[in-house]
């Protein structure tokens, strides 16, 4: 099923390019726009995005990786290098001279007031007696070395961690696919059509309404009220209504004394849903495109075991208006 929050979410992408990732204060990847658009009942926003990506409604595109401090979850660690012996950062790349006598030290040590001289054997330096290399010289311990160790440091808590110990987060943005656009257009067309049909029957309608019973508030696709007759209906739009979500929807409708209406946008429902609609406690309508609703629909064993969404969608779109 598509919840009102999910439909709100996907519909937003018909106007907006993408849902962009951010790193939240707790170091997790978050999508603030998505969190705002969804209802609490929709669950984890990242799970919702991934579910729609798996269905082909959304495309997830890799943006970048960021590294988060494993100590305090701050994003954006800085690169530095340290001495492999004492871990001090104060190890600086320096020109090191190695004298023929075996002594090696930073260039500055050889710089005597009256010329260049080995501080160890005190010989005046001759070019051919000296090897010059770039080395790291630690200022906190005697270590001299060619390659320092890599570290990332946190500007917030000053933790210093080996790069592989930083927490890696891959960031993805989500866009609407052409198929997703077709899908959301169909859900909205169904929503519009059922709303107009209710208005023609003198119902006052509210799309994406919040309805409250004794225990909870929830969003419904359409709330329709006939004040004169004291008649209230709530509408749920589904691709293929499944037994579980329809049962839950009917229970909620019952708790607010409203009649449940389920619209299938694929033209099919699960067998148990069809059986339930045989009685008077549930109305099932099939949206068959072209602004028409039909009381005829097909049944399938299970909504989940059907062919892929778009095969179903195209199959549904191929059904001529009014045909069973
Ligand atoms: Zn050191
Ligand atoms: Zn020397
Ligand atoms: Zn930190």
């Amino acid at each position: 099923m598509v919840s009102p929050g999910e439909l709100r979410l996907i519909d937003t992408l018909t106007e907006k390019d993408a849902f962009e990732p951010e790193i939240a204060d707790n170091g997790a990847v978050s999508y603030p726009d998505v969190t705002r658009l969804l209802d609490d009942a929709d669950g984890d926003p990242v799970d919702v995005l991934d579910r729609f990506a798996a269905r082909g409604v959304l495309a997830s595109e890799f943006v970048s990786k960021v590294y988060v401090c494993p100590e305090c979850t701050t994003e954006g660690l800085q690169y530095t290098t340290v001495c492999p012996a004492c871990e001090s950062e104060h190890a600086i790349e320096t020109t090191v001279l190695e004298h023929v006598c075996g002594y090696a030290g930073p260039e500055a040590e050889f710089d005597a007031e009256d010329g260049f001289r080995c501080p160890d054997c005190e010989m005046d330096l001759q070019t051919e007696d000296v090897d010059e290399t770039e080395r790291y010289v630690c200022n906190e311990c005697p270590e001299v070395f060619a390659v320092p160790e890599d570290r990332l440091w946190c500007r917030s808590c000053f933790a210093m961690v080996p790069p592989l110990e930083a927490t890696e987060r891959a960031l993805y943005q989500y866009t609407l696919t052409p198929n997703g656009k077709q899908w959301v257009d169909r859900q909205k067309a169904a929503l519009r059509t059922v709303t107009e049909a209710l208005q023609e029957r003198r119902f006052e309608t509210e799309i994406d309404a919040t309805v409250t019973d004794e225990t909870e508030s929830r969003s419904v696709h359409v709330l329709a009220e006939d004040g004169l007759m004291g008649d209230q209906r709530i509408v749920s739009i589904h691709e293929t209504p499944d037994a579980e979500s329809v049962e839950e929807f009917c229970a909620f409708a019952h708790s607010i004394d409203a009649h449940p209406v389920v619209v299938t946008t694929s033209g099919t429902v699960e067998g148990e849903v069809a059986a339930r609609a045989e009685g008077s406690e549930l109305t099932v309508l099939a949206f068959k495109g072209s602004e028409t609703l039909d009381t005829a629909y097909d049944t399938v064993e299970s909504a989940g075991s059907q062919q892929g969404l778009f095969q179903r969608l195209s199959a549904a779109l191929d059904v001529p208006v009014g045909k069973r």
Side-chain angles (χ1 to χ4, degrees):
M1 74 171 283
V2 58
S3 74
E6 289 167 345
L7 191 55
R8 206 181 296 140
L9 178 79
I10 306 300
D11 190 28
T12 303
L13 285 182
T14 59
E15 308 269 308
K16 178 185 166 78
D17 287 344
F19 291 125
E20 310 276 358
E22 282 183 17
I23 297 291
D25 288 344
N26 66 0
V29 179
S30 77
Y31 296 83
D33 293 342
V34 175
T35 306
R36 189 171 42 75
L37 286 160
L38 289 174
D39 293 321
D40 289 348
D42 292 320
D44 183 353
V46 176
D47 290 346
V48 173
L49 289 170
D50 283 340
R51 210 159 54 234
F52 278 102
R55 292 169 61 182
V57 171
L58 300 180
S60 73
E61 290 160 20
F62 176 72
V63 179
S64 63
K65 281 192 293 193
V66 297
Y67 290 89
V68 173
C69 174
E71 304 291 333
C72 77
T73 71
T74 294
E75 176 202 347
L77 299 171
Q78 301 286 299
Y79 178 74
T80 189
T81 58
V82 296
C83 165
C86 74
E87 300 248 331
S88 167
E89 257 193 293
H90 197 186
I92 309 297
E93 192 173 32
T94 313
T95 302
V96 168
L97 302 183
E98 183 173 357
H99 194 224
V100 71
C101 73
Y103 181 80
E107 198 172 23
E109 289 184 9
F110 291 79
D111 194 356
E113 272 166 30
D114 52 348
F116 286 93
R117 189 174 302 133
C118 174
D120 194 47
C121 71
E122 300 197 330
M123 270 171 63
D124 284 342
L125 290 196
Q126 304 297 326
T127 324
E128 62 272 21
D129 294 340
V130 182
D131 255 353
E132 190 181 303
T133 49
E134 295 300 313
R135 311 276 289 183
Y136 280 82
V137 175
C138 181
N139 289 273
E140 300 295 331
C141 79
E143 197 75 1
V144 175
F145 48 94
V147 183
E149 289 195 1
D150 298 326
R151 289 290 183 274
L152 295 174
W153 70 274
C154 173
R155 283 170 298 183
S156 180
C157 75
F158 302 106
M160 187 92 74
V161 294
L164 291 177
E165 286 176 23
T167 308
E168 180 180 290
R169 298 278 186 237
L171 301 182
Y172 293 86
Q173 66 173 18
Y174 291 83
T175 55
L176 188 63
T177 64
N179 282 338
K181 172 76 169 67
Q182 204 185 348
W183 177 85
V184 72
D185 284 348
R186 187 171 178 88
Q187 310 311 306
K188 281 162 61 190
L191 185 62
R192 213 166 40 237
T193 304
V194 71
T195 303
E196 283 165 10
L198 286 159
Q199 286 168 349
E200 277 165 25
R201 299 175 74 174
R202 294 199 185 79
F203 280 92
E204 288 203 7
T205 56
E206 185 185 350
I207 291 178
D208 199 359
T210 304
V211 181
T212 307
D213 74 357
E214 285 143 23
T215 55
E216 58 167 342
S217 277
R218 68 156 77 188
S219 299
V220 293
H221 285 127
V222 186
L223 170 66
E225 286 174 297
D226 182 343
L228 213 60
M229 305 295 287
D231 195 1
Q232 187 168 240
R233 296 183 185 193
I234 55 175
V235 180
S236 181
I237 310 287
H238 282 251
E239 257 185 283
T240 302
D242 61 281
E244 195 186 331
S245 47
V246 169
E247 180 174 350
E248 212 228 339
F249 182 64
C250 288
F252 179 72
H254 187 71
S255 75
I256 58 165
D257 211 16
H259 180 74
V261 178
V262 167
V263 177
T264 163
T265 58
S266 68
T268 58
V269 302
E270 277 187 7
E272 278 181 56
V273 175
R276 187 183 281 268
E278 300 277 301
S280 58
E281 62 154 326
L282 169 68
T283 301
V284 173
L285 298 169
F287 175 70
K288 297 195 165 166
S290 317
E291 320 272 297
T292 57
L293 288 167
D294 199 327
T295 51
Y297 44 84
D298 295 321
T299 60
V300 289
E301 206 132 289
S302 146
S305 68
Q306 278 194 46
Q307 50 189 340
L309 162 68
F310 294 110
Q311 287 91 319
R312 261 185 290 149
L313 180 57
S314 1
L317 289 169
D318 287 344
V319 176
V321 178
K323 184 174 170 257
R324 276 194 88 112

